[in-house]
Amino acid sequence: QQHLKSLFLFGALGLIPFGTGGIKPNICNFGADQIGDETESQREAQKKFFSYFYMAINVGVMVAFGYLANVTTHGIPGHVPLEQ
């Protein structure tokens, strides 16, 4: 049990920030690099890309902190039991 706690702590404090720090700064640049900015339609496509990108991040945060936090504290009747 103690081994799993330390493994979880390492994952939460080590791997998650490492992965987040590696993908978030780069994905914006890679996405913007795929679309030029010479014409008005390309600039509009970049605006759409960034709008959808930030919307996806915010929806992911809502699911993670909203839904998953409720599942861990209250369970899902019939699927995830609430253990006392």
Side-chain angles (χ1 to χ4, degrees):
Q1 194 71 350
Q2 185 62 31
H3 175 70
L4 290 176
K5 286 181 183 179
S6 60
L7 187 63
F8 178 79
L9 182 67
F10 171 72
L13 297 178
L15 295 177
I16 292 174
F18 181 73
T20 302
I23 194 166
K24 279 191 181 176
N26 292 322
I27 193 118
C28 286
N29 295 331
F30 290 152
D33 193 38
Q34 299 300 313
I35 306 168
D37 60 352
E38 291 84 25
T39 65
E40 186 61 35
S41 64
Q42 289 175 333
R43 287 189 286 276
E44 193 64 33
Q46 276 188 347
K47 286 181 186 178
K48 284 184 182 180
F49 168 76
F50 285 111
S51 295
Y52 286 126
F53 175 70
Y54 285 113
M55 183 187 69
I57 288 175
N58 290 327
V59 167
V61 168
M62 284 181 6
V63 168
F65 287 111
Y67 178 71
L68 295 178
N70 279 329
V71 168
T72 58
T73 56
H74 301 295
I76 299 176
H79 298 287
V80 179
L82 176 64
E83 297 180 10
Q84 297 293 330

